């Protein structure tokens, strides 16, 4: 599936790891070492001896800054709010946070329309607040990743204001300006049929200069012209600026869309399985994106971005937002000489969107075997798509316990695979998508334009649910928050789940700790097991020196018993010790009979 199609989707226990008591933040000497800290210490002990970069097998947590924590009572989250919650993220075990854009912005697309790349939007704080956030995070062994939007700026950015001022302005060529043409009735038509991801033509007419500018996204997000060396130069300077401000790396927004066909040929309709054109969530024929997405020229830019990153002594990470339809295209994003992105997002595993054993097996196996050993970055959720519960809905599961088990299945795929794992804020407590019920409540431009067919992305961007108090602990009592607090907050929140060792939150925390500390789960090879099974997805993680872990996830609502023969995989152990099991699942598991309840998960150390 291509990116636009995906967009349509949204707008489309037995435990071997000790869990410190709730809120146990004792003085440094006595306090329990968090799993990310243990890992960081291990890494620095190995530093110099070809130490692995910090992001390998790490856990990255996406924060939507507007919705994480409001510190100043304006109903919008901010940097000081995020800083005040770093203790929680440390407790959870995350290695880095990626914040969606926090630069000055008219907020048409909530920060993805940047008007100044060198500052912080005053709604979120100041550059000084940013530096404090980075410094505090560093003490907790948490890196900070900036979202870098390179494809477009805001139409309020001074570059664009200059560019649109006249055809001869020196910045004219910084954006994509083209002439229209006259239709049969003499009406002026856009240069071609290209569409905006957010609906309608991708061309906007400018009366003053009589030309159209191209915008892959919203009208207020004109595309930069990446063929212009001055544009590249300007953006590499932005990259340097934030590295100097201490970031651990970047998430490169919409990175596959930097270039378009220079001949401006029309795109063809995307055809569905039935051979008919696909109609998108805006009611238009969906185009196939072949001339405006994933053009080969992007690789030259990725290499240059990487050269800048590699010119620093620290390991600067480049993550790409890469909605690609095949593992071959994904592989190219690492670069022929490992000189492009370290972690292009693998959207092929997490966005299957139904519990289809064969598909998961195929996609995970491809990530393991077809990326030349490069590290995959798995992700199940983000700020553009309905949350994890889409899997439960697709399976028609209503029972709350079974839904919770499905959340554990997804967390296990994410955290027990050989990958870097990307978690979306709130997923660890099971926050669900809460879509607006009235058009007047919609804040996302996609939903305003697409209502009622496409209700936009507000539903997955609601405030973090910290506790059962006023405004769920996100903001002070009595404050009107920028999006409403979902009704689920009374029971689905951090405080309640911290107290319950069987909660989803503890499941995430233990899985993260295992990923950090269990050798097989940390970086062991991943081998699919029982590959004919249509009900249970199972795999082995093993290290060359014989450390082995078996993982089994029941994709059905019926109990299953699974048997594993690990001899062909060269695993000597015959016994298995439970590391993780869905609450309520039977104990006394053996390799010959692993009992799984409905949507149950088992993770066991082979001994
Ligand atoms: C981001 C979206 C944003 C778009 C335009 C995406 O890929 O994730 O939230 O609207 O880029 O910048
Ligand atoms: Mg605020």
């Amino acid at each position: 599936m291509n990116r636009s199609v995906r967009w349509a989707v949204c707008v489309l226990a037995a435990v071997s790891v000790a869990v410190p008591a709730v809120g146990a933040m004792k003085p440094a000497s006595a306090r329990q070492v968090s799993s990310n800290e243990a890992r960081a210490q291990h890494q620095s002990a190995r530093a110099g001896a070809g130490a692995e970069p910090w992001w390998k097998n790490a856990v990255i947590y996406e924060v939507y800054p507007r919705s994480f924590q409001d510190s100043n009572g304006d109903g919008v989250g901010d940097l000081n709010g995020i800083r005040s919650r770093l203790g929680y993220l440390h407790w959870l075990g995350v290695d880095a946070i990626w914040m969606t854009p926090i630069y000055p912005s008219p907020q048409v697309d909530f920060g993805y329309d940047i008007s100044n790349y060198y500052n912080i939007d005053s709604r979120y704080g100041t550059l000084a607040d940013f530096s404090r956030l980075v410094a505090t995070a560093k003490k907790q062994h948490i890196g900070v990743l900036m979202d870098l939007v390179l494809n477009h700026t805001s139409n309020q950015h001074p570059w664009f204001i200059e560019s649109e001022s006249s055809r001869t302005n020196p910045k004219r060529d910084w954006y994509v300006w083209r002439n229209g043409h006259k239709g049969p009735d003499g009406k002026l038509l856009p240069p071609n049929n290209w569409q905006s991801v957010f609906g309608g033509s991708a061309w906007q007419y400018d009366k003053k200069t009589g030309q159209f500018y191209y915008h892959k996204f919203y009208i207020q997000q004109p595309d930069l012209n990446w063929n212009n060396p001055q544009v590249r130069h300007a953006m590499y300077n932005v990259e340097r600026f934030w590295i100097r401000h201490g970031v651990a790396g970047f998430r490169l927004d919409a990175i596959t869309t930097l270039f378009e066909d220079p001949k401006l040929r029309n795109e063809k309709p995307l055809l569905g399985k039935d051979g008919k054109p696909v109609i998108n969530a805006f009611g238009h024929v969906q185009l196939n994106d072949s001339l405006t997405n994933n053009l080969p020229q992007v690789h030259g830019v990725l290499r240059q971005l990487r050269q800048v990153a590699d010119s620093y002594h620290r390991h600067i990470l480049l993550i790409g937002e890469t909605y690609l339809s095949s593992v071959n295209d994904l592989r190219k994003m690492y670069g022929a000489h490992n000189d492009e992105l370290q972690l292009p997002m693998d959207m092929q595993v997490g966005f299957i969107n139904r519990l289809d054993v064969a598909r998961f097996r195929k996609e995970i196996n491809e990530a393991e075997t077809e990326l030349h050993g490069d590290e995959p970055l798995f992700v199940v959720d983000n700020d553009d798509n309905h949350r994890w519960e889409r899997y439960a809905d697709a399976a028609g599961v209503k029972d709350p316990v079974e839904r919770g088990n499905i959340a554990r299945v997804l967390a296990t795929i994410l955290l027990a695979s050989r990958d870097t794992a990307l978690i979306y804020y709130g997923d660890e407590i099971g926050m669900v998508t809460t879509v607006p019920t009235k058009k007047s409540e919609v804040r996302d431009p996609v939903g305003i334009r697409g209502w009622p067919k496409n209700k936009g992305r507000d539903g997955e961007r609601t405030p973090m649910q910290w506790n059962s108090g006023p405004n769920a602990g996100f903001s002070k009592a009595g404050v009107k928050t920028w999006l409403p607090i979902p009704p689920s907050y009374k029971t689905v929140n951090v405080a309640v789940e911290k107290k319950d060792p069987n909660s989803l939150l503890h499941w995430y925390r233990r899985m993260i700790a295992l990923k950090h500390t269990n050798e097989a789960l940390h970086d062991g090879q991943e081998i699919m097991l029982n590959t004919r099974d249509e009900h249970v997805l199972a795999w082995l993680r093993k290290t060359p020196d014989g450390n082995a872990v078996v993982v089994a996830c029941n994709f059905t609502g019926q109990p299953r018993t699974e048997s594993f023969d690990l001899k062909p995989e060269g695993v000597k152990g015959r016994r298995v010790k439970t590391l993780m099991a869905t609450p309520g699942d039977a104990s006394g598991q053996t390799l010959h009979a692993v009992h799984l309840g409905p949507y149950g998960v088992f993770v066991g150390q082979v001994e």
Side-chain angles (χ1 to χ4, degrees):
M1 270 204 297
N2 72 19
R3 164 196 186 95
S4 327
V5 177
R6 283 203 202 282
W7 226 294
V9 174
C10 87
V11 222
L12 10 178
V15 177
S16 71
V17 181
V19 182
V22 177
M25 288 302 277
K26 300 182 201 126
S29 56
R31 96 184 143 83
Q32 187 115 18
V33 171
S34 147
S35 66
N36 78 342
E37 208 167 321
R39 181 173 170 272
Q41 283 164 4
H42 180 65
Q43 274 177 353
S44 60
R46 286 197 311 191
E52 68 175 20
W54 68 266
W55 48 263
K56 275 238 161 183
N57 310 299
V59 176
I60 301 174
Y61 186 96
E62 179 187 355
V63 171
Y64 200 71
R66 296 182 76 83
S67 291
F68 202 57
Q69 180 66 57
D70 175 21
S71 73
N72 63 354
D74 63 356
V76 175
D78 42 58
L79 297 188
N80 288 336
I82 296 171
R83 187 159 57 90
S84 73
R85 294 298 188 180
L86 287 170
Y88 164 73
L89 296 174
H90 178 74
W91 173 85
L92 186 59
V94 313
D95 299 290
I97 57 171
W98 144 40
M99 294 179 289
T100 60
I102 50 178
Y103 314 84
S105 157
Q107 305 284 325
V108 172
D109 191 19
F110 296 114
Y112 283 100
D113 47 324
I114 298 171
S115 55
N116 177 1
Y117 285 81
Y118 289 102
N119 210 335
I120 301 292
D121 193 292
S122 58
R123 296 165 186 89
Y124 300 133
T126 62
L127 264 179
D129 293 332
F130 180 80
S131 296
R132 270 191 292 271
L133 172 66
V134 170
T136 311
K138 195 173 173 204
K139 284 193 198 128
Q140 317 253 31
H141 302 282
I142 295 173
V144 173
L145 304 172
M146 277 299 252
D147 205 321
L148 195 51
V149 184
L150 299 174
N151 178 65
H152 47 267
T153 69
S154 161
N155 63 343
Q156 301 302 309
H157 193 292
W159 298 340
F160 187 75
I161 293 173
E162 277 194 50
S163 184
E164 68 174 350
S165 67
S166 84
R167 287 200 191 195
T168 54
N169 184 280
K171 293 247 164 26
R172 185 65 169 182
D173 187 47
W174 280 44
Y175 293 84
V176 184
W177 291 98
R178 293 289 182 274
N179 293 327
H181 60 88
K182 289 243 163 69
D185 54 359
K187 241 178 89 182
L188 189 64
L189 296 174
N192 63 20
N193 74 344
W194 295 350
Q195 288 173 356
S196 158
V197 171
F198 293 168
S201 170
W203 296 99
Q204 179 69 12
Y205 185 62
D206 173 56
K207 262 202 213 123
K208 192 160 93 198
T209 59
Q211 284 188 310
F212 289 81
Y213 69 83
Y214 175 69
H215 57 93
K216 178 83 177 167
F217 296 90
Y218 225 53
I219 293 165
Q220 287 87 340
Q221 295 168 304
D223 271 49
L224 284 160
N225 173 16
W226 274 86
N227 291 304
N228 184 328
Q230 292 176 342
V231 167
R232 296 184 182 212
H233 187 74
M235 284 306 194
Y236 303 150
N237 280 339
V238 170
E239 184 186 4
R240 292 186 183 98
F241 175 84
W242 291 103
I243 295 175
R244 286 199 301 271
H245 277 73
V247 302
F250 301 91
R251 175 263 192 187
L252 306 176
D253 179 63
I255 192 66
T256 59
T257 66
L258 297 192
F259 292 90
E260 302 80 38
D261 175 37
K263 294 193 190 128
L264 299 196
R265 287 169 294 186
N266 280 337
E267 276 179 342
K268 302 217 164 65
L270 180 74
L271 302 180
K273 279 197 190 119
D274 55 1
K276 291 194 193 129
V278 171
I279 304 297
N280 67 22
F282 301 98
H284 303 136
V285 169
Q286 177 68 48
L287 302 179
N288 66 12
D289 233 14
S290 60
L291 299 168
T292 56
N293 193 9
N294 201 20
L295 268 61
Q297 292 91 317
V298 75
H299 295 286
V301 173
L302 292 179
R303 282 193 289 274
Q304 290 179 327
L305 287 162
R306 179 67 180 272
Q307 271 171 26
V308 172
D310 285 352
S311 68
Y312 293 81
H313 291 302
R314 298 179 282 129
H315 284 290
I316 301 294
L317 170 64
L318 300 181
I319 292 180
E321 187 198 21
T322 43
Y323 285 95
L324 298 166
S325 51
S326 76
V327 74
N328 288 331
D329 282 342
L330 185 63
R331 190 196 304 120
K332 289 184 195 149
M333 291 293 160
Y334 293 85
H337 306 283
N338 260 302
D339 51 358
E340 298 186 25
L341 301 173
Q342 293 101 328
L343 294 176
M345 289 181 194
D346 182 326
M347 308 297 210
Q348 289 153 40
V349 172
F351 290 92
I352 291 172
N353 294 338
R354 41 199 172 91
L355 291 176
D356 176 333
V357 173
R359 276 290 303 282
F360 270 92
R361 186 177 290 135
K362 171 180 174 283
E363 302 292 355
I364 295 172
N365 191 51
E366 281 187 355
E368 175 71 13
T369 59
E370 305 295 315
L371 296 177
H372 297 328
D374 280 329
E375 174 107 334
L377 175 62
F378 288 169
V379 47
V380 173
D381 268 351
N382 60 30
D383 58 303
D384 293 324
N385 294 283
H386 282 182
R387 284 182 180 266
W388 66 274
E389 86 288 339
R390 65 188 188 275
Y391 281 92
D393 292 343
V397 174
K398 300 221 163 54
D399 176 74
V401 172
E402 290 190 5
R403 287 173 74 90
N405 291 352
I406 290 176
R408 287 172 177 79
V409 166
L410 295 165
T412 305
I413 291 170
L414 188 62
L415 294 163
S417 285
R418 190 188 67 84
D419 65 348
T420 297
L422 185 51
I423 299 176
Y424 185 47
Y425 84 96
D427 266 12
E428 74 278 19
I429 53 172
M431 270 174 67
V432 292
T433 314
T434 312
V435 286
T437 50
K438 285 190 267 174
K439 187 178 176 185
S440 60
E441 288 170 1
V442 179
R443 308 293 303 273
D444 178 19
V446 172
I448 294 170
R449 184 170 193 140
W451 191 272
K453 271 189 134 182
N454 183 339
K455 296 183 177 165
R457 299 165 293 179
D458 294 348
E460 53 266 23
R461 298 173 174 180
T462 55
M464 178 68 177
Q465 298 167 199
W466 294 104
N467 57 47
S468 348
N471 274 330
F474 163 73
S475 185
K476 289 186 200 121
V479 168
K480 188 174 179 330
T481 57
W482 84 282
L483 283 177
I485 309 285
S488 60
Y489 82 97
K490 287 267 178 203
T491 50
V492 177
N493 67 58
V494 171
V496 161
E497 294 188 35
K498 257 194 169 183
K499 287 192 203 119
D500 173 6
N502 285 328
S503 66
L504 182 62
L505 177 59
H506 278 285
W507 184 275
Y508 265 89
R509 181 165 185 258
R510 288 176 205 136
M511 285 296 318
I512 292 172
L514 286 170
K515 189 175 184 63
H516 284 150
T517 57
N518 179 292
E519 277 183 39
L521 288 171
H522 181 64
D523 60 2
Q525 194 190 348
E526 182 157 359
I527 301 161
M528 290 292 144
L529 297 173
N530 299 5
T531 53
R532 296 235 172 105
D533 195 307
E534 291 167 8
H535 309 289
V536 174
L537 181 72
W539 65 93
L540 170 72
R541 300 288 309 278
K542 67 163 197 180
T543 63
D545 54 8
N547 197 314
V549 168
V550 173
V551 184
C553 300
N554 183 357
F555 272 38
T556 76
Q558 285 78 46
R560 301 267 160 203
T561 299
E562 218 42 26
S563 168
F564 296 106
D565 176 8
L566 302 178
K567 261 182 264 149
E569 311 305 338
V571 174
K572 294 209 183 74
R574 295 286 173 267
R575 289 185 357 189
V576 70
K577 185 178 102 195
T578 303
L579 297 174
M580 300 282 289
T582 302
D585 267 12
S587 51
Q589 312 274 31
T590 68
L591 275 180
H592 294 298
V594 169
H595 303 290
L596 299 163
Y599 305 104
V601 175
F602 172 78
V603 183
Q605 182 82 47
V606 183
E607 293 183 323

